[in-house]
Amino acid sequence: MKRAHQQHRHQPSDAILAALSVDLLIQILERVDDPRDRKAWRLVCRDFLRAEALHRRALRVLRLEALPGLLRHYAACLDLLDLSACPGLGDHALAAALFAEAGSWRLKSVSLSRASGVGWRGLAALAAACPRLESVDLSHCVGVGDREAAALAAAEGLRMLRLDKCLRVTDVGLAKLAVGCPALENLRIKWCLEISDIGIELLAKKCRDLRVLDISYLKITNSSVKSISSLGKLEVLSMVGCSNIDDEGLQFLSDGSNSLRSIDVSRCDNVTASGLTSVIEGHICLQKLNVGDCFPELAPLFLSKLNGLKDSLTVLILDGFQVSASSLKIIGVNCKNLSEIGLGKCKWVTDEGISELVAGCVNLISIDLTCCHMLTDKALMAIGEQCKKLVCLRLESCNLITHRGLEHIGTGCPSLEEIDLTDCPVTDTAMKYLSRCSELMILKLGLCDKISSEGLVHIASNCKNLYELDLYRCIEVTDDGLAAIATGCSKLQKFNLCYCTQITDRGMKHLSCLEDLRDLELRGLHHVTSLGVTSIAIGCRRLTELDLKRCNLVDNVGLCALAQYTGNLRQINISYCPVSSMGLYKLLGTLKCLQDVKLVHLTHVPVERLELALRAYGGQLKKLKLFIGLRDLLSPWLIQMLQARRCRIRWVDKPLVFSP
């Protein structure tokens, strides 16, 4: 009877599940936002798993061995595939995974950023297998060149392409893309130093639909700007650091023949107020203007022309200028629709100037006042009173502000999500006032040596959405502060505790409760041992970046724990740690996702053992930092092998100094 009663009790639940159609399950799933809840959902039963597969549109792969199975399960519905964090990805693995599901792909966007192992064969397979492909990200693939560009040119429907820092792409590769992908609307070729005016001219002739173009740091001249000026649909143009472009080049943009909404000419040394004025006159609908670090002082003519943008301009970046109170008053009068202003490292910025600015620009949501050393609490009072919608406030190295000014920010800016107080003389009282900002997500307190655990208790009490916290060299913070943060800020993903010298293993035990933690910096924590690192490894399974440099009590035991539990670790720094060759073998032999490793001054690891460990590593290292004294001691064969695998070795010339 009891068994029958139990069976009867479970029947309604089974009946309900059977009555739910796939469409209804998908509608329910659309209301599940937390990734952990979505993971739990697909483990319920096969129907739930199938509904999740049909609903999923984006997939980020972290392990190469999981790629075939994941693609087999999700191929039919995916729009976006992110392989940027998939270590060891090469042409063969990419082609095999794509052709295994040939005919079923509906992929529109693929990210291969930093996938240094992918070459022309893999890109040719991508273009052939995905006929609907519209967007590809190859940024920071330093080995990508003209042959890879030619292979990708077969994707004739391509509309968005990122080639930032693809150092081997020349005018020839750009020409192939321009001819093969005439529908391109968004192209980013920042730091592609081999591209010249010839390539830009052909691009402008063939890709007439371009709307977004980033040519930052290219060695192009005014001739390229002349070619670009013919692009009638162009809306966003970034030319950061193009030192060969001057006012004559900007004159080509003055006739308004294109649709520019945003222009960035920051760090263009030869651009003056005259050239910028011509751009403004030709584009009365300009929404974003970045002229940071161009020329030293704002000219009256330039300021007066801003009045022509009073209805459209929302973002104005003036980093590095000399900006007087009268200039900020003019901006406040002429640019009332500003939502973002950048005054980082500007000279002569005073309380009076900020008061004049915010009196007119009450809709500001982002204000950057980094290194504006003359500002006091009066400026913060004005911001708190006028900028009720403020989301981001950067105050790094504003040495005259105190808790009194931050009281007005905490009271007047309830929507604040990010604040940078690095190197500011703030106290725990200031944290009490900032804790009123319940939407706070990013808090930077590096070098604030008056902040203690009491201040962290205030933050943890009300800032439940915090996901980034920087406490670099906050030497008064103790384990009790970490306990408060671990309890109150469970969404924390990025945490910097470098040189917080009072932290011990007990603090690490508290942090092990942060399941979402991904980036943890523990440099110089002399009281943290392998026991504390083991706690982190066991509790923080999603950790991808870890800095243990100068953690003098972390040895092989800590590395073995990391090897066992943190399978997703991609970046680690164990420089100066007292680990031996056994710990290094275990770390490199187990963690196949590692891409960036720093191994400076491992005094307990002989050179020959270091070489064996590096030879045996089965993953795809992209960056390796070593002491320069090893350059002549390691075999040339090893160095050539690493470089052939596109691993960039950085040799550092730092003496071996033992910390107290």
Side-chain angles (χ1 to χ4, degrees):
M1 288 293 294
K2 185 176 181 180
R3 182 179 299 175
H5 176 70
Q6 288 177 341
Q7 291 176 349
H8 178 74
R9 187 174 59 186
H10 286 295
Q11 282 177 356
S13 176
D14 296 337
I16 291 173
L17 290 178
L20 297 176
S21 67
V22 173
D23 291 339
L24 187 56
L25 288 174
I26 290 176
Q27 291 181 38
I28 296 172
L29 187 57
E30 288 175 349
R31 291 164 171 78
V32 180
D33 297 324
D34 193 305
R36 288 172 295 187
D37 293 338
R38 297 175 72 90
K39 182 177 181 180
W41 163 283
R42 61 177 179 261
L43 295 176
V44 172
C45 64
R46 291 182 179 179
D47 287 341
F48 278 40
L49 180 63
R50 180 168 175 264
E52 194 269 344
L54 293 172
H55 177 264
R56 183 182 284 270
R57 295 293 178 266
L59 179 67
R60 187 168 189 253
V61 182
L62 300 178
R63 295 171 178 271
L64 182 60
E65 60 270 20
L67 181 61
L70 288 171
L71 295 187
R72 188 163 52 249
H73 187 63
Y74 292 111
C77 299
L78 281 183
D79 290 330
L80 187 153
L81 178 61
D82 185 353
L83 299 174
S84 60
C86 193
L89 182 67
D91 287 343
H92 177 74
L94 180 60
L98 290 170
F99 285 123
E101 303 300 321
S104 60
W105 289 110
R106 48 175 282 175
L107 273 178
K108 295 181 180 179
S109 178
V110 175
S111 176
L112 295 166
S113 177
R114 302 182 188 276
S116 55
V118 174
W120 68 270
R121 293 182 178 87
L123 294 176
L126 178 66
C130 305
R132 301 183 183 182
L133 199 61
E134 296 180 358
S135 173
V136 175
D137 184 354
L138 290 170
S139 57
H140 299 279
C141 292
V142 293
V144 167
D146 293 340
R147 196 170 188 181
E148 286 74 22
L152 199 55
E156 59 183 20
L158 210 60
R159 285 176 168 77
M160 188 276 187
L161 177 61
R162 292 196 62 170
L163 294 172
D164 301 334
K165 223 164 188 177
C166 291
L167 303 179
R168 298 182 182 180
V169 175
T170 72
D171 292 332
V172 175
L174 186 60
K176 294 282 188 180
L177 288 166
V179 173
C181 308
L184 271 176
E185 297 178 0
N186 187 328
L187 178 64
R188 301 172 189 269
I189 48 177
K190 179 179 179 180
W191 283 112
C192 294
L193 301 179
E194 298 301 318
I195 292 176
S196 70
D197 292 335
I198 297 172
I200 299 298
E201 181 182 2
L202 181 60
L203 176 72
K205 288 180 179 178
K206 296 295 183 180
C207 299
R208 303 300 300 170
D209 292 332
L210 273 174
R211 299 179 184 274
V212 178
L213 180 61
D214 188 347
I215 52 174
S216 298
Y217 299 103
L218 268 60
K219 300 174 183 178
I220 55 174
T221 68
N222 294 336
S223 176
S224 286
V225 185
K226 182 179 181 180
S227 301
I228 291 168
S229 67
S230 67
L231 294 170
K233 297 180 181 180
L234 192 65
E235 297 178 358
V236 179
L237 177 60
S238 296
M239 300 190 295
V240 180
C242 292
S243 55
N244 294 326
I245 292 174
D246 55 25
D247 293 346
E248 182 181 344
L250 294 187
Q251 286 284 346
F252 291 119
L253 301 174
S254 63
D255 61 2
S257 58
N258 45 42
S259 307
L260 274 182
R261 298 288 184 270
S262 171
I263 185 167
D264 187 346
V265 292
S266 56
R267 300 181 184 178
C268 290
D269 303 331
N270 293 312
V271 168
T272 71
S274 175
L276 290 172
T277 299
S278 64
V279 174
I280 293 173
E281 289 176 338
H283 300 88
I284 59 173
C285 294
L286 205 62
Q287 297 173 1
K288 181 177 179 180
L289 181 59
N290 188 338
V291 295
D293 299 301
C294 280
F295 45 91
E297 190 172 357
L298 291 176
L301 179 61
F302 170 76
L303 290 170
S304 65
K305 292 298 181 181
L306 290 178
N307 185 53
L309 303 176
K310 62 182 180 181
D311 295 327
S312 63
L313 194 65
T314 58
V315 178
L316 180 60
I317 309 297
L318 301 171
D319 295 344
F321 278 85
Q322 296 176 2
V323 185
S324 64
S326 58
S327 297
L328 290 175
K329 181 177 181 179
I330 294 172
I331 293 172
V333 171
N334 291 342
C335 308
K336 292 186 178 297
N337 289 326
L338 275 186
S339 62
E340 178 181 349
I341 188 161
L343 298 171
K345 299 183 180 180
C346 286
K347 298 178 180 179
W348 303 349
V349 176
T350 63
D351 295 337
E352 179 188 356
I354 295 300
S355 298
E356 296 285 2
L357 173 70
V358 299
C361 303
V362 296
N363 294 317
L364 281 169
I365 62 174
S366 179
I367 303 175
D368 187 352
L369 299 172
T370 300
C371 296
C372 292
H373 301 297
M374 299 173 68
L375 295 181
T376 71
D377 291 334
K378 291 182 179 179
L380 300 189
M381 290 170 62
I383 293 172
E385 291 172 2
Q386 300 291 342
C387 303
K388 303 299 182 182
K389 302 176 182 178
L390 194 66
V391 172
C392 176
L393 179 60
R394 298 189 176 98
L395 298 168
E396 180 181 350
S397 297
C398 292
N399 310 109
L400 301 179
I401 66 171
T402 71
H403 64 274
R404 295 182 181 86
L406 290 171
E407 180 179 7
H408 291 271
I409 298 298
T411 303
C413 306
S415 300
L416 194 70
E417 295 180 2
E418 176 182 351
I419 186 166
D420 188 347
L421 294 169
T422 303
D423 200 19
C424 292
V426 294
T427 63
D428 293 334
T429 305
M431 298 301 101
K432 179 180 178 181
Y433 296 137
L434 278 182
S435 67
R436 298 171 182 171
C437 303
S438 60
E439 301 300 318
L440 200 63
M441 301 173 72
I442 300 176
L443 177 59
K444 297 184 179 181
L445 300 170
L447 299 171
C448 296
D449 55 10
K450 296 179 181 178
I451 299 293
S452 72
S453 295
E454 181 184 345
L456 298 186
V457 170
H458 290 309
I459 294 298
S461 66
N462 198 41
C463 303
K464 307 300 182 183
N465 294 321
L466 199 70
Y467 75 80
E468 179 177 346
L469 179 58
D470 185 349
L471 299 176
Y472 176 80
R473 289 192 185 274
C474 291
I475 55 177
E476 296 299 321
V477 170
T478 67
D479 296 332
D480 292 335
L482 300 193
I485 291 296
T487 302
C489 306
S490 60
K491 297 180 181 179
L492 203 64
Q493 296 182 21
K494 187 173 183 179
F495 203 178
N496 187 343
L497 286 167
C498 292
Y499 302 106
C500 295
T501 51
Q502 295 194 51
I503 302 300
T504 71
D505 288 342
R506 188 165 67 89
M508 297 299 101
K509 183 65 175 177
H510 294 313
L511 292 187
S512 66
C513 300
L514 298 172
E515 296 181 358
D516 289 332
L517 197 63
R518 286 166 169 78
D519 185 343
L520 181 60
E521 298 184 58
L522 303 175
R523 181 178 302 195
L525 301 193
H526 304 309
H527 299 299
V528 171
T529 73
S530 291
L531 182 63
V533 173
T534 300
S535 298
I536 293 294
I538 294 173
C540 307
R541 302 292 183 93
R542 299 184 181 184
L543 204 63
T544 59
E545 298 183 24
L546 180 62
D547 189 345
L548 296 171
K549 180 179 178 180
R550 294 192 182 278
C551 290
N552 300 332
L553 299 180
V554 175
D555 55 19
N556 293 342
V557 176
L559 295 195
C560 290
L562 291 172
Q564 183 175 354
Y565 296 109
T566 57
N568 292 324
L569 204 63
R570 296 201 303 271
Q571 179 175 320
I572 191 168
N573 187 350
I574 55 172
S575 299
Y576 299 89
C577 290
V579 300
S580 73
S581 51
M582 185 195 78
L584 189 60
Y585 288 157
K586 185 68 173 177
L587 189 78
L588 296 182
T590 307
L591 299 180
K592 303 304 182 184
C593 290
L594 279 177
Q595 299 177 15
D596 187 340
V597 180
K598 298 177 176 64
L599 306 173
V600 178
H601 287 308
L602 299 184
T603 56
H604 296 276
V605 180
V607 175
E608 61 273 12
R609 299 295 179 86
L610 174 63
E611 176 153 342
L612 285 174
L614 292 173
R615 286 189 181 193
Y617 180 61
Q620 182 71 44
L621 278 183
K622 296 180 180 179
K623 294 181 181 179
L624 176 64
K625 183 184 285 190
L626 297 170
F627 176 55
I628 194 171
L630 297 174
R631 180 185 286 176
D632 296 328
L633 298 177
L634 294 171
S635 68
W637 181 88
L638 172 67
I639 296 174
Q640 292 172 5
M641 180 196 74
L642 290 171
Q643 292 174 340
R645 294 180 178 178
R646 297 176 181 174
C647 174
R648 183 158 57 92
I649 305 175
R650 181 182 173 191
W651 304 98
V652 294
D653 188 8
K654 292 184 178 180
L656 179 59
V657 178
F658 293 98
S659 302

